[in-house]
Amino acid sequence: MVRINPLKKRLDAGKPGAGVLITMPSVNMAQILAGAGFDYLFIDLEHGSIDASSVYNLITATAGTECAPLVRIPKPELALCKPALDAGAMGLIFPMICTREEAEATVQCINYPPEGTRGWGPFYAPTRWGLKTPLEYFEVANRELLNIILIEHIDAIENIDSILSVPGIHVANIAPMDLAVSMGLPGQRDHPDVLKAIERAEKAILASPVVLGGMSLSAAEANAKIARGYRFLLMGYDVMLIQQISAQLLDGIDR
């Protein structure tokens, strides 16, 4: 079987994939990060200044690399999902999935019939995927696209088993910051109650066929998570990287 999605190939082989979130509609930034060796770019349509018109350019900027372009969609609605998929996204990321019904909606949006209700229109996706015709793309899309949900609310923790029972979910990524906010603990991702909720989600995900994902803001944190069974690792975001490097360069200058 030819695997077209390099990130799905890694995850299916049990290997970890490390990526970075981008909030800026910058083709240059996307090219640099894709070429730096990240396994995926998390293109964010929920926050930041990226809009639908720039998603195509950011997806195209990953061409020629082993970096899979993923797009976070504000919510699982067909009208929001189709432009990103038809531009060549290799997966969609859905925030705030808190119920089984919401998880089922993601499956419907990302897949062509009979598994889903995605409409026909892959005019640009085949080129990004290295295919010649839309029909070739249609034949592999349902198999190769990644469906990634974010577990980022205490309601999702309460409903975790029913969410994970939905066929067609590939990755469940635990987002501690929003989870902490939903628990009335903003900014406290290491609070004991937040950690307890995360542990509950981890156990459920690891006991399912779904890949466990989460945030890792350092190599040490990533390695610790890999040892615990994480395979989808989010290593930060573009603004944070620029701020950190800028601070390092300026630190210690006598001025």
Side-chain angles (χ1 to χ4, degrees):
M1 181 188 298
V2 176
R3 302 315 303 257
I4 296 166
N5 186 336
L7 178 60
K8 192 168 193 300
K9 182 177 180 180
R10 288 187 65 86
L11 297 179
D12 287 348
K15 298 178 180 180
V20 63
L21 185 150
I22 58 174
T23 65
M24 303 176 189
S26 169
V27 171
N28 307 71
M29 175 72 73
Q31 284 180 320
I32 291 169
L33 293 174
F38 285 108
D39 299 303
Y40 66 90
L41 290 190
F42 182 133
I43 300 169
D44 192 13
L45 270 174
E46 185 185 22
H47 302 292
S49 56
I50 295 172
D51 58 24
S53 65
S54 58
V55 164
Y56 172 83
N57 294 329
L58 297 173
I59 290 171
T60 303
T62 66
T65 74
E66 287 294 299
C67 184
L70 310 176
V71 180
R72 174 157 65 180
I73 304 297
K75 54 185 174 179
E77 291 185 358
L78 279 171
L80 299 175
C81 297
K82 286 188 290 185
L85 292 171
D86 293 340
M90 294 185 173
L92 296 183
I93 300 167
F94 296 96
M96 285 292 173
I97 300 303
C98 297
T99 67
R100 177 183 175 87
E101 291 73 22
E102 290 170 350
E104 290 173 338
T106 70
V107 177
Q108 290 296 305
C109 287
I110 204 168
N111 288 305
Y112 288 118
E115 290 88 350
T117 55
R118 177 184 174 190
W120 177 262
F123 303 118
Y124 304 104
T127 300
R128 174 59 190 86
W129 284 42
L131 300 170
K132 294 181 179 179
T133 68
L135 183 58
E136 287 181 315
Y137 172 82
F138 176 83
E139 291 171 347
V140 300
N142 284 14
R143 186 191 75 214
E144 291 293 310
L145 282 164
L146 281 168
N147 185 1
I148 301 153
I149 62 171
L150 299 187
I151 303 300
E152 52 184 347
H153 195 282
I154 191 61
D155 289 347
I157 305 297
E158 297 299 326
N159 296 320
I160 191 66
D161 291 324
S162 63
I163 290 171
L164 294 173
S165 69
V166 174
I169 303 294
H170 301 115
V171 178
N173 187 88
I174 302 171
M177 300 306 291
D178 276 304
L179 177 59
V181 170
S182 77
M183 298 173 68
L185 299 165
Q188 300 181 62
R189 72 177 181 128
D190 294 323
H191 189 280
D193 291 345
V194 177
L195 294 177
K196 185 177 180 180
I198 290 173
E199 183 180 5
R200 179 177 173 185
E202 287 175 341
K203 288 180 178 179
I205 298 166
L206 288 171
S208 77
V210 177
V211 170
L212 173 60
M215 184 171 66
S216 301
L217 298 183
S218 69
E221 185 178 0
N223 288 331
K225 279 188 163 65
I226 290 170
R228 300 213 311 269
Y230 282 75
R231 298 211 309 275
F232 185 84
L233 305 166
L234 180 60
M235 302 301 299
Y237 55 101
D238 50 9
V239 176
M240 182 194 76
L241 296 178
I242 293 171
Q243 289 173 335
Q244 287 181 343
I245 295 299
S246 298
Q248 290 173 14
L249 290 172
L250 293 170
D251 187 37
I253 296 177
D254 296 325
R255 61 183 182 129

